Amino acid sequence: MRVLVVEDERRLAVALQRGLQSEGFTVDVAHDGLQGLWMATEHGYDLIVLDIMLPGLNGYRVCARLRAAGNESGILMLTAKDGEYDEAEALDTGADDFLSKPFSYLVLVARLRALARRAGRRGPQVLRFGDLVLDPARHSCSRGDTEIRLTAREFAVLEYLARRPGEVVPKREILEQVWDIAFAGDPNVVEVHISAVRRKIDAPFGRAALETVRGAGYRLAADGG
């Protein structure tokens, strides 16, 4: 799941980014309303954590403009402590949920996972490729009756490919979608994770579902190999 955090308090934004990444989310950060609106419009996010008090454009206006443009990302708005009017306006402008500051990080993650489950019910809940099955809502993977244990990042790589079966997906696109748009590390990290996933979903079963297309990217066979 791709998450955009729009929060001008930089220490909080960085803490949320690191924490959510450790939970397996792909996280980008914006520090003002205009930047957040642009990023949410230009890039596809499953979830948006949106503060109300933002420079440039407040959270209400960001939310309203996104909804007016047909953006269906799940939006969790961060409101003032005991701000019942803030909460009411957040929902009225199109937010799916709200959380009052200061908030529990565990509750924030639980709320985001709940929003993700709701979004999942609007689309395919389980992805099947022959006997290879991915259930994003349960974060599970299996071949036949055998459960396959994947790390959060391995699952994210496989899920991204699984949502485009049979297509060749470039390495740079995987970096942007599964890591983040500002990733500046070694791009070979994708190859490392692809190899790890292949060792788990293919090698033990004598299959070849996950293919490297030299010079182009990676592809997951629609028939599960």
Side-chain angles (χ1 to χ4, degrees):
M1 302 294 288
R2 295 199 72 200
V3 180
L4 174 63
V5 174
V6 189
E7 169 60 65
D8 64 326
E9 189 179 334
R10 291 178 181 265
R11 290 181 62 184
L12 175 57
V14 170
L16 288 176
Q17 182 178 38
R18 290 175 178 171
L20 292 173
Q21 285 174 338
S22 71
E23 299 285 342
F25 294 98
T26 299
V27 187
D28 294 325
V29 173
H31 296 297
D32 64 66
L34 291 172
Q35 181 189 26
L37 178 63
W38 179 83
M39 292 177 68
T41 302
E42 293 295 315
H43 305 284
Y45 293 99
D46 300 292
L47 304 169
I48 300 173
V49 179
L50 181 62
D51 192 22
I52 290 178
M53 300 302 292
L54 294 168
L57 198 67
N58 68 40
Y60 297 133
R61 296 176 67 186
V62 172
C63 183
R65 291 190 186 185
L66 288 174
R67 294 310 193 215
N71 188 298
E72 296 183 354
S73 299
I75 297 179
L76 174 65
M77 194 169 284
L78 302 180
T79 67
K81 182 180 180 181
D82 300 324
E84 61 180 20
Y85 291 104
D86 288 345
E87 295 166 0
E89 189 166 354
L91 297 175
D92 285 343
T93 54
D96 297 285
D97 201 355
F98 60 84
L99 199 57
S100 298
K101 291 184 176 180
F103 53 81
S104 160
Y105 173 73
L106 291 177
V107 172
L108 173 73
V109 172
R111 295 284 183 89
L112 289 177
R113 292 201 184 283
L115 287 179
R117 286 194 297 273
R118 291 179 215 164
R121 285 195 287 270
R122 293 195 293 267
Q125 295 184 29
V126 178
L127 304 171
R128 299 180 185 275
F129 310 93
D131 65 346
L132 178 64
V133 179
L134 277 76
D135 187 339
R138 296 179 180 275
H139 210 267
S140 66
C141 175
S142 62
R143 266 204 189 274
D145 296 327
T146 304
E147 181 180 354
I148 301 171
R149 295 187 178 276
L150 300 173
T151 68
R153 193 74 74 179
E154 289 167 358
F155 191 93
V157 169
L158 181 58
E159 181 185 354
Y160 190 68
L161 293 172
R163 293 192 181 279
R164 296 171 59 180
E167 294 184 32
V168 177
V169 181
K171 179 193 296 185
R172 173 52 57 184
E173 184 175 331
I174 296 174
L175 277 173
E176 292 176 353
Q177 296 292 328
V178 176
W179 276 262
D180 61 62
I181 60 175
F183 181 79
D186 186 350
N188 289 329
V189 69
V190 175
E191 296 174 18
V192 172
H193 282 76
I194 289 288
S195 295
V197 173
R198 188 181 285 125
R199 286 196 300 271
K200 295 180 179 181
I201 71 167
D202 282 344
F205 305 94
R207 305 297 183 83
L210 193 49
E211 178 186 0
T212 299
V213 181
R214 190 173 298 277
Y218 306 95
R219 174 169 53 206
L220 182 69
D223 62 1

